[in-house]
Amino acid sequence: MTTLSIIKADTGGFVGHSAVHPDLLATAQEAVRRAVGDGLLLDAHVASCGDDVSLIMTHEHGADSERVHSFAWDTFQQTTEVAKRLGLYGAGQDLLSDAFSGNLKGMGPGYAELEFTERPSEPVICFLADKTEPGAWNLALYKMFADPFNTAGLVIDEKMHAGFRFEVYDLFEEKRITFDCPEELYDMLMFIGAPARYVVHAVQSRNLTEQAAATSTQRLSLIAGKYVGKDDPVMIVRCQSGLPAVGEVLEPFSFPYTVGGAMRGSHHAPLLPVSIPDAHTARFDGPPRVVALGFQVTDGRLVGPRDMFADPSFDSARQQANTAMDYLRRHGPFEPHRLPLEDLEYTTMRALEARIAQRWQPMPEVATSLAR
Ligand code: F6R
Ligand code: MG
Ligand code: MG
């Protein structure tokens, strides 16, 4: 079995929260080079989206491997040191704990991991997003694996016709459930349409009993109890031969749907599909972006990446995203640009509530013409 792990963290931004300094990437690249040399990893690629460093790694230690997680933790400690030396912004931001203990659960870094027996040819796409939250993948995964208007294979390919099983996490209650689609589509949509709370964690082919997709499913704010940065999720999707084709996996991003998480983790903004050189944020600390790195996994080797959104066929999505951003921005501090109160990451509201609590009075009883 091969395990593909993406482990990511924001260990310091350059400039502000916009991008990763090249020295951090070089430090991470050197670390993974050594880990491949030592035999811990089969192969690895270091990438970034916005202010997050992603370690894309293949190995044979399975998901939640102590050795692999501890390697990632050590690497992020090293990039944090570099970030501190350069005075980068929010150095070590996502490392919420002082010491590593077993695996990365609840420690800050996000991770998506997928174990599989390599097929004769194994095309995978690694998606990295910045300035949004794990539930940002819900709409895309629904379209890839459950919407025949997106994925022709659900109708046409015999191996896909039985549909897909979605595993959904409730991040508030720390519970999980599976939905078999297409039968349970409407039930599932009731939940995953609320992506701040319900997050698709994994998708499995019902016919092939193969896991097809994995996401990083956590919320830093829930771990830390206060705003400590956004979770900036990652996702792995296997493609072809009874799973959605590469083009079906990319297609959902041709619509720049709006996601939570831009500017101070507190705004909705469109998800902009970009090429790797454009994977850094600017306007209003956004718009939130997604990059897609395509690989062929061959005997554990990561052959690639191909920069999948570096393609003019996504130009109209980008244009639409900019138009949508103009439209939403004009709302300033009003919903629906600003997130609903219960989803606001910053705590001003609580402090404000406390400060003015005594000033609230009951509403006057107004005699309206209807009441009379
Ligand atoms: C959003 C994000 C940024 C920061 C914003 C304020 O996820 O990372 O929008 O929230 O730049 O940052 P601080 O509070 O660090 O000044
Ligand atoms: Mg940051
Ligand atoms: Mg980030």
Side-chain angles (χ1 to χ4, degrees):
M1 292 276 266
T2 305
T3 305
L4 175 56
S5 300
I6 309 179
I7 307 187
K8 50 85 34 190
D10 175 353
T11 58
F14 170 63
V15 170
H17 291 284
S18 65
V20 175
H21 191 281
D23 288 5
L24 269 65
L25 293 175
T27 303
Q29 268 148 6
E30 176 54 21
V32 299
R33 197 188 59 74
R34 268 186 275 117
V36 172
D38 294 347
L40 172 68
L41 304 177
L42 295 170
D43 202 359
H45 178 81
V46 175
S48 67
C49 185
D51 52 5
D52 298 275
V53 177
S54 280
L55 312 176
I56 302 173
M57 303 173 282
T58 48
H59 55 90
E60 289 172 318
H61 308 288
D64 287 315
S65 151
E66 175 160 2
R67 289 180 65 200
V68 174
H69 282 209
S70 138
F71 161 73
W73 180 258
D74 291 345
T75 304
F76 293 138
Q77 301 277 2
Q78 289 169 36
T79 56
T80 298
E81 284 314 308
V82 178
K84 282 182 178 159
R85 274 206 300 280
L86 293 170
L88 300 184
Y89 195 69
Q93 172 184 295
D94 285 356
L95 308 186
L96 303 180
S97 175
D98 292 334
F100 180 80
S101 57
N103 67 46
L104 288 171
K105 188 169 190 306
M107 299 191 68
Y111 51 97
E113 299 186 286
L114 213 159
E115 278 180 79
F116 52 89
T117 303
E118 269 181 38
R119 298 169 293 169
S121 180
E122 189 60 63
V124 301
I125 300 183
C126 296
F127 291 93
L128 319 175
D130 188 43
K131 305 291 181 264
T132 183
E133 59 192 6
W137 303 129
N138 286 6
L139 188 148
L141 285 168
Y142 161 74
K143 294 196 76 106
M144 281 174 218
F145 291 101
D147 179 3
F149 280 72
N150 180 91
T151 298
L154 293 167
V155 179
I156 291 169
D157 184 338
E158 221 179 297
K159 295 198 278 304
M160 295 174 71
H161 209 81
F164 288 85
R165 172 171 295 171
F166 289 68
E167 184 181 20
V168 174
Y169 281 13
D170 174 348
L171 297 184
F172 288 11
E173 302 264 323
E174 301 204 337
K175 294 186 297 198
R176 61 181 177 162
I177 189 169
T178 55
F179 292 104
D180 284 338
C181 294
E183 309 89 281
E184 298 186 299
L185 256 182
Y186 299 161
D187 292 350
M188 181 173 82
L189 280 170
M190 184 58 101
F191 295 97
I192 68 168
R197 174 166 179 175
Y198 297 97
V199 175
V200 179
H201 177 65
V203 183
Q204 203 186 44
S205 157
R206 293 171 70 188
N207 183 297
L208 307 173
T209 55
E210 291 266 5
Q211 189 176 337
T215 70
S216 60
T217 312
Q218 55 170 341
R219 281 189 74 187
L220 283 181
S221 58
L222 299 180
I223 297 169
K226 61 177 170 48
Y227 184 82
V228 286
K230 261 289 165 190
D231 312 295
D232 302 334
V234 294
M235 167 167 76
I236 303 168
V237 185
R238 297 169 72 200
C239 315
Q240 308 285 160
S241 306
L243 302 177
V246 165
E248 291 167 335
V249 169
L250 299 175
E251 179 65 12
F253 299 97
S254 65
F255 166 54
Y257 57 93
T258 176
V259 295
M263 184 50 86
R264 298 173 189 281
S266 304
H267 293 81
H268 268 124
L271 186 61
L272 184 70
V274 290
S275 65
I276 292 166
D278 286 337
H280 42 72
T281 56
R283 181 182 180 189
F284 200 58
D285 284 1
R289 347 206 125 197
V290 54
V291 287
L293 287 77
F295 295 95
Q296 292 287 151
V297 181
T298 309
D299 299 326
R301 256 178 322 133
L302 288 164
V303 179
R306 262 210 71 220
D307 185 353
M308 306 307 285
F309 288 143
D311 189 291
S313 62
F314 287 94
D315 283 352
S316 73
R318 293 188 265 265
Q319 200 167 355
Q320 212 185 347
N322 282 329
T323 306
M325 188 64 186
D326 286 340
Y327 171 81
L328 280 167
R329 232 3 334 261
R330 296 294 171 272
H331 292 77
F334 283 79
E335 298 176 9
H337 183 32
R338 198 186 72 179
L339 297 189
L341 279 183
E342 61 273 22
D343 291 339
L344 278 191
E345 301 270 352
Y346 275 69
T347 51
T348 329
M349 182 59 187
R350 272 170 244 157
L352 177 63
E353 253 172 351
R355 183 155 58 78
I356 65 168
Q358 304 307 320
R359 290 170 45 197
W360 290 100
Q361 301 292 322
M363 283 209 282
E365 283 191 26
V366 186
T368 65
S369 53
L370 276 177
R372 261 186 266 127

